[in-house]
Amino acid sequence: MRRDQKYTAFLDLHQGDKAFVMPNPWDAGSARVLAAEGFAALATTSAGAAVTQGLRDGAASMTRAAILSNAAEIVAATDLPVSADLEDGFGLAPETCAKTIVMAAEVGLVGGSIEDATGGEDAGVMDMGLAVERIAAAAEAAKAHQFVLTARAENYLHGRPDLKDTIARLQAFEAAGADVLYAPGLPDLDAIRAVCSEVSKPVNVVMGLRPPFYTVQELSEAGVARISVGGSLARLAYGAVQQAMRAVLQDGAFAYAIEAMPGAELMGLMRAQPTPRV
């Protein structure tokens, strides 16, 4: 599928009557496993990409080059539309965010998110004025490169549980040209429903971050268009390895292998040879 076809398909997914699930592989292999299950689109995870490098999540640890390299491998692994976690755009300046969008499109991505967290050690949230300028610049670049821009309001991940301000930010991002709106960490279904009712663009919600965990049906009825799972799949995989090896150390037993995916099945989902990057 050509990139322009992936872009159109990805846009169309946001217009369905029911929320679609967009899981987050952390590398090319996990992308192929998820694609084989029948998902219609994939998204990268900055947390998953970071841990594969032995690093903590965050713009301070993962460079733009590293994030885009990971994304390019995932894009090349399947024929599905792929959106990326582009952190804070890898710089405060609006023009830097715009450049990040252009570079993301160049590696074959058809979507990506820009957040309003500072990305620094202070773990703060940007002034709304600057945050909106950054989304406006990113949106202009996105429209010129067939790219679905998701704007993220990070209040709830940074100790600012202010629903009114979160909605105001999302409304401002919508007015600035964002295609999808996203406020990770909303506390409950009432807050999710409030966000969806106060904006007109599609809303993304993350499941797997922390309880409560709602069903696709519940989220669809609340007005959600798209559901991602962030780094939870990577954490699941690493957790399974941790538990299996703890059992080996404690019991000297290798029963974990009973639950492992059969080697023939796993290899059958992989490519016979490398595919050139887009």
Side-chain angles (χ1 to χ4, degrees), residues 139-252:
E140 184 176 356
K143 285 176 173 56
H145 291 82
Q146 293 191 313
F147 193 90
V148 179
L149 176 66
T150 298
R152 293 176 48 153
E154 299 283 293
N155 277 339
Y156 281 89
L157 295 187
H158 295 273
R160 296 179 53 174
D162 187 335
L163 184 59
K164 182 177 179 180
D165 181 70
T166 297
I167 290 173
R169 284 172 178 267
L170 293 176
Q171 290 173 332
F173 296 159
E174 178 179 355
D179 301 299
V180 180
L181 304 168
Y182 179 19
L186 292 172
D188 51 42
L189 203 57
D190 287 340
I192 293 170
R193 193 177 292 111
V195 165
C196 293
S197 68
E198 293 294 333
V199 298
S200 60
K201 293 290 181 69
V203 172
N204 182 93
V205 165
V206 61
M207 285 289 106
L209 183 65
R210 62 173 71 98
F213 302 130
Y214 302 109
T215 66
V216 172
Q217 184 63 35
E218 287 173 321
L219 291 170
S220 297
E221 291 173 354
V224 175
R226 188 177 85 191
I227 305 166
S228 56
V229 299
S232 63
L233 291 181
R235 290 189 286 106
L236 175 67
Y238 278 88
V241 170
Q242 182 188 59
Q243 291 175 26
M245 291 299 97
R246 281 179 176 174
V248 170
L249 287 173
Q250 293 170 7
D251 306 325

Side-chain angles (χ1 to χ4, degrees), residues 6-216:
K6 293 180 183 180
Y7 167 75
T8 300
F10 191 46
L11 272 180
D12 289 346
L13 285 171
H14 294 80
Q15 306 307 317
D17 295 330
K18 182 179 180 181
F20 72 96
V21 179
M22 182 178 69
N24 301 72
W26 59 94
D27 60 11
S30 57
R32 290 188 66 82
V33 170
L34 292 169
E37 292 301 312
F39 290 99
L42 302 173
T44 71
T45 160
S46 63
V51 297
T52 62
Q53 301 296 315
L55 298 171
R56 295 179 180 178
D57 186 23
S61 298
M62 292 294 286
T63 65
R64 179 166 60 185
I67 288 289
L68 292 180
S69 177
N70 173 261
E73 291 173 355
I74 291 171
V75 167
T78 81
D79 205 31
L80 295 178
V82 180
S83 184
D85 180 346
L86 299 174
E87 300 274 6
D88 65 343
F90 302 98
L92 285 176
E95 55 267 29
T96 302
C97 293
K99 177 62 175 176
T100 294
I101 297 300
V102 174
M103 294 173 69
E106 289 173 347
V107 302
L109 291 161
V110 296
S113 61
I114 299 289
E115 62 192 43
D116 62 357
T118 63
E121 294 182 358
D122 62 339
V125 174
M126 296 174 191
D127 171 79
M128 189 187 293
L130 174 60
V132 171
E133 288 179 21
R134 287 156 42 83
I135 293 301
E140 184 176 356
K143 285 176 173 56
H145 291 82
Q146 293 191 313
F147 193 90
V148 179
L149 176 66
T150 298
R152 293 176 48 153
E154 299 283 293
N155 277 339
Y156 281 89
L157 295 187
H158 295 273
R160 296 179 53 174
D162 187 335
L163 184 59
K164 182 177 179 180
D165 181 70
T166 297
I167 290 173
R169 284 172 178 267
L170 293 176
Q171 290 173 332
F173 296 159
E174 178 179 355
D179 301 299
V180 180
L181 304 168
Y182 179 19
L186 292 172
D188 51 42
L189 203 57
D190 287 340
I192 293 170
R193 193 177 292 111
V195 165
C196 293
S197 68
E198 293 294 333
V199 298
S200 60
K201 293 290 181 69
V203 172
N204 182 93
V205 165
V206 61
M207 285 289 106
L209 183 65
R210 62 173 71 98
F213 302 130
Y214 302 109
T215 66
V216 172

